[in-house]
Amino acid sequence: MTTSTSTGTGPQPAGLMEGAIATVAGNGVAGFMSDGGPGALTRLYHPMGVAVDKNGNLFIADRYNHRIRKVTPNGNITTVAGDGTAGYISDGGPAVATRLHYPADVAVDDAGNLFIADTNNHRVRKVTPNGNITTVAGNGEAGYVSDGGPAIATRLHYPHALTVDRAGNLYIADHHNHRIRKVTPNGNITTVAGNGTAGYVSDGGPAISTRLYHPMGLVVDAEGNLYIADRYNHRIRKVTPNGIITTVAGNGTAGYISDGGPAIGTRLHYPWGLALDEAGSLYIGDGHNHRIRKVTSDGIITTVAGNGTAGYVDDGGPAAGTRLYHPWGIALDRSGNLYIADSHNHRVRGVTAVAQMTPPPPPAADLYGEVVSPYRVQRGQEFDLGARIRNRGPNSADGRYVTVVLTLADGLEGGPGTTGRRLTRTFTGQQLAAHQSALDGVFRISAPESTPPGTYTSTLEIQYGGDLNLKDNAFVLPVTVVVPAPIADETALTIFQDTIPDVAPGQSTAFNLKYTAPAGQPVNPGTITQRFAAPSGFIFTGQPTYAYYETIHGVISGNLSHRIEDGGRTLLITANPHLNTTTSDTGSLIYTIPVQARADAAPGRYDNGSASVGRHTPVQLSGKITGSAQNETALRVVQESIPEAAPGQTTTFNLEIRSLNNQPVNPGTIEQRFTAPTGFAFTGGASYGYYFVTPYVTGNLETRLEDGGKTLVISSNPHLNTGTTDKTALIYTLGIRALPDAESGTRPADGQAVIGRLAPVPLSAHVL
């Protein structure tokens, strides 16, 4: 976000009418090409936060490129922080030569200092006008300790958003701590909103006593009021200078209702970015509604960019009529141009003079169709098909302008009083009130006894006229007609192995078994015992699960009751593999069964496993073992950064662990001993992370301290490249503190890391 004192005109192209949208950075292709040319011709990768300084320079948190980019008023783009590699090295040097880790936001102050939410490093970094980078908040460890002390010595937990007020106070959306933190110019940190518990309680009381839920965007107005995008509460909250919190937009329910009414009575959907113009209007990046909303000083909300449909159309036209795709961060320049981090379009878009424009008036009514269509029906029975037309706009709608047309598929028939395949209904004499009620465009249909089993697709169109607005007015309505049949037992199922795992010895994977029934036939055998025998070289491990992926309700899944016997060779599952008995078990059923290749397994394909499901004929299970996973002697360990701390201060070691030629390494749980350099001691905190996978995989390590913290012992399995979740590199982050009597200015290098049978690796640290 930007401060409310930006006075520069940014890179928005000249000559566009008020409210027109244009791209100022990113060509829509995810990635990174180069710097130095036009911003609109290069690549961005999920841009998040944006800010404009007083000279009109636009800064972009280019999140997945691990960089901060700068677009000058004439449109040229460069990198001002981050070398493009995820991680953390050190502070004090050139910002373009160091590492960032998924930066989420940027802010600028009047002195030209750039602040970065270095999210996965759990820090806030500062880049001075001469390009040097330091940490101003967070010690690099995820979590929460306390308030009232130096910001650089405490913990943050995925900081996501920043803003700076006119007095130089820095505000941080401490995302996973569910708090807003404030860092004063002298470096002390306090909490100004949120008690650390996720959720929502109420408004009107002290902000530090209430709950927030993953707060995101921040902005401060000239009077010192702080606005918070309380993302998972689907609200915008306001904290006054005396610390009282209220809601200024959003009623707490995710979704979209309408524009033109009170902001506190409408819906938002995971709001992110915030900005303020000089007139006091608040702008909201309404991320999952794919819109930018504007709340004027009198509390009325409108849309200024995005039509609510995710995607990308063209530039140059009215912003309110085009598409955005998860707009996150937003910022304003001196001329009232609005800049939008159009994240999933991999662009930053500008809207000309949005602060001066009058948003288009909302339609007289904003209608949508709520489809009624069963997934499956039995031949000879009646069912309902059509849509209920609802109004989410601020004004009522006259039903004479609305007509529903249902065109039936051959094989389906309308109810009494209808003829032919084209059924229509107009609502003359009916009024559709604002925000409520519905027009009934649902018809009674039947599948005659002569209709063969199968899927029949009808079409529905909602026709409208007058001063109405209606999106998504055409629908296809597939209905599967089945012949009533007795409920069958498990012998009616078709069962087969959906995947054949291919792993190295010691690696973990899963068997997928697929259960289907013919032509949608209902199968309900009741709870039965299902016995699985593992192929040679494999053993069963962990919790088997089930899932129905093809229901109208989305994915229906859960755990299976099970028992493992014979040292993992046999798995017993007790469950009911039912199919097509309700709308929540349609299609096919998938069992996912965790297995592991034995460490001593010989390479080859083994087809001697089996699945015996009740009285069903046993099904063959196969697995393939290839190559071999190495032990820890194939690992290579390097110290990723040299920690720096003054006597008594806490910081972290980062160690990077890779394998030779990226081969699989799976040594099992081994002891790893770390000795602190002279003048330092371990705190006992230790975590791991695989940051070259998406999403990244992190967790805490089991530790033990010895010799008063001089030695840290970790028991874990430092596995690499055994599957999709542990690729490329493993990072250890170890908490360490400089002892109170440590000699300032020394750089001892007598620490070491001993991982199993690996040769010791030296560890260094710097006492400031």
Side-chain angles (χ1 to χ4, degrees), residues 45 91 109 111 131 153 185 268 282 381 428 433 456 471 490 492 514 530 549-550 647 676 678-679 716 727 731 755 759:
Y45 199 169
D91 284 317
D109 66 15
L268 303 174
L282 176 70
Q381 293 184 350
T428 302
Y456 295 82
K471 297 182 178 65
E490 66 270 21
K514 190 169 187 177
Q530 304 163 62
Y549 290 99
E550 302 158 38
T678 299
S716 70
K727 293 180 179 178
I731 305 296
I755 296 181

Side-chain angles (χ1 to χ4, degrees), residues 345-614:
N345 279 325
H346 309 291
R347 301 171 183 262
V348 174
R349 320 278 290 276
V351 182
T352 301
V354 72
Q356 288 78 43
M357 67 172 277
T358 300
D366 191 3
L367 309 184
Y368 66 99
E370 190 177 78
V371 168
V372 175
S373 179
Y375 179 83
R376 186 183 67 253
V377 299
Q378 289 193 357
R379 188 170 67 186
Q381 293 184 350
E382 292 185 338
F383 58 94
D384 289 335
L385 194 64
R388 295 183 179 91
I389 297 87
R390 298 189 180 274
N391 182 7
R392 58 190 167 198
N395 300 312
S396 62
D398 191 330
R400 62 179 171 162
Y401 295 118
V402 181
T403 300
V404 175
V405 179
L406 176 64
T407 303
L408 293 175
D410 285 332
L412 302 181
E413 292 182 353
T418 64
T419 57
R421 294 177 51 232
R422 190 174 188 271
L423 312 182
T424 67
R425 186 175 298 163
T426 301
F427 305 95
T428 302
Q430 298 184 52
Q431 290 289 315
L432 183 56
H435 307 313
Q436 58 184 338
S437 70
L439 301 175
D440 186 5
V442 179
F443 300 83
R444 182 55 56 93
I445 307 299
S446 66
E449 294 290 349
S450 58
T451 300
T455 299
Y456 295 82
T457 301
S458 304
T459 60
L460 177 76
E461 182 183 4
I462 305 172
Q463 300 175 350
Y464 59 98
D467 188 17
L468 299 181
N469 179 52
L470 177 63
K471 297 182 178 65
D472 302 324
N473 65 317
F475 306 89
V476 292
L477 309 178
V479 174
T480 298
V481 176
V482 298
V483 177
I487 298 296
D489 61 27
E490 66 270 21
T491 60
L493 293 169
T494 299
I495 306 172
F496 58 93
Q497 185 175 355
D498 198 35
T499 59
I500 296 178
D502 186 347
V503 293
Q507 290 185 5
S508 296
T509 183
F511 288 143
N512 280 353
L513 241 66
K514 190 169 187 177
Y515 295 63
T516 63
Q521 180 181 19
V523 177
N524 194 359
T527 300
I528 58 175
T529 298
Q530 304 163 62
R531 178 179 292 271
F532 300 83
S536 296
F538 288 87
I539 57 173
F540 294 108
T541 61
Q543 173 67 59
T545 60
Y546 71 87
Y548 297 94
Y549 290 99
E550 302 158 38
T551 78
I552 61 173
H553 310 290
V555 178
I556 305 295
S557 62
N559 293 331
L560 290 163
S561 177
H562 74 290
R563 186 172 75 248
I564 296 175
E565 298 179 345
D566 305 328
R569 290 278 299 137
T570 301
L571 170 70
L572 297 177
I573 291 177
T574 304
N576 180 2
H578 55 89
L579 275 169
N580 303 314
T581 64
T582 69
T583 58
S584 61
D585 67 350
T586 53
S588 59
L589 166 64
I590 302 292
Y591 277 12
T592 299
I593 302 174
V595 294
Q596 184 179 32
R598 296 171 58 95
D600 57 355
R605 174 171 170 141
Y606 299 93
D607 300 312
N608 55 351
S610 65
S612 299
V613 179

Side-chain angles (χ1 to χ4, degrees), residues 213-357:
Y213 199 170
H214 289 312
M216 301 298 287
L218 301 172
V219 70
V220 181
D221 68 16
E223 285 72 42
N225 296 297
L226 172 67
Y227 296 85
I228 305 165
D230 194 358
R231 182 167 166 79
Y232 279 59
N233 279 325
H234 311 290
R235 301 171 184 261
I236 308 301
R237 318 286 288 276
K238 173 184 174 181
V239 180
T240 60
N242 62 358
I244 302 302
I245 192 167
T246 54
T247 293
V248 296
N251 63 8
T253 301
Y256 175 79
I257 302 177
S258 63
D259 285 315
I264 59 174
T266 195
R267 295 182 182 180
L268 303 174
H269 202 172
Y270 292 119
W272 186 306
L274 298 177
L276 283 164
D277 65 21
E278 293 181 358
S281 294
L282 176 70
Y283 297 81
I284 304 167
D286 195 359
H288 284 232
N289 278 327
H290 312 291
R291 301 171 183 261
I292 306 299
R293 318 287 288 277
K294 176 181 180 178
V295 180
T296 52
S297 56
D298 59 358
I300 302 302
I301 192 167
T302 53
T303 293
V304 296
N307 64 7
T309 301
Y312 175 78
V313 191
D314 284 329
D315 286 320
T322 195
R323 295 184 180 183
L324 303 174
Y325 198 170
H326 291 314
W328 295 149
I330 56 177
L332 285 160
D333 69 13
R334 181 189 64 185
S335 298
N337 300 313
L338 177 72
Y339 298 91
I340 305 166
D342 195 1
S343 177
H344 281 54
N345 279 325
H346 309 291
R347 301 171 183 262
V348 174
R349 320 278 290 276
V351 182
T352 301
V354 72
Q356 288 78 43
M357 67 172 277

Side-chain angles (χ1 to χ4, degrees), residues 632 635-640 653-657 673-677 682 734 749-764:
E632 71 271 21
L635 295 174
R636 294 297 177 263
V637 183
V638 297
Q639 183 175 348
E640 192 178 46
F653 273 125
N654 277 357
L655 300 179
E656 184 180 78
I657 305 172
R673 301 181 68 85
F674 301 84
T675 304
F682 292 106
L734 312 179
D750 54 354
Q752 66 177 16
V754 181
I755 296 181
R757 291 171 288 177
L758 275 179
V761 175
L763 301 178
S764 301

Side-chain angles (χ1 to χ4, degrees), residues 46-84:
H46 286 310
M48 289 290 187
V50 289
V52 181
D53 70 11
K54 63 183 181 181
N55 298 315
N57 295 299
L58 171 68
F59 296 89
I60 305 166
D62 195 359
R63 184 167 170 82
Y64 279 62
N65 278 326
H66 311 289
R67 300 171 184 262
I68 306 301
R69 317 287 288 277
K70 170 184 168 182
V71 182
T72 59
N74 66 3
N76 283 340
I77 193 168
T78 54
T79 293
V80 295
D83 65 359

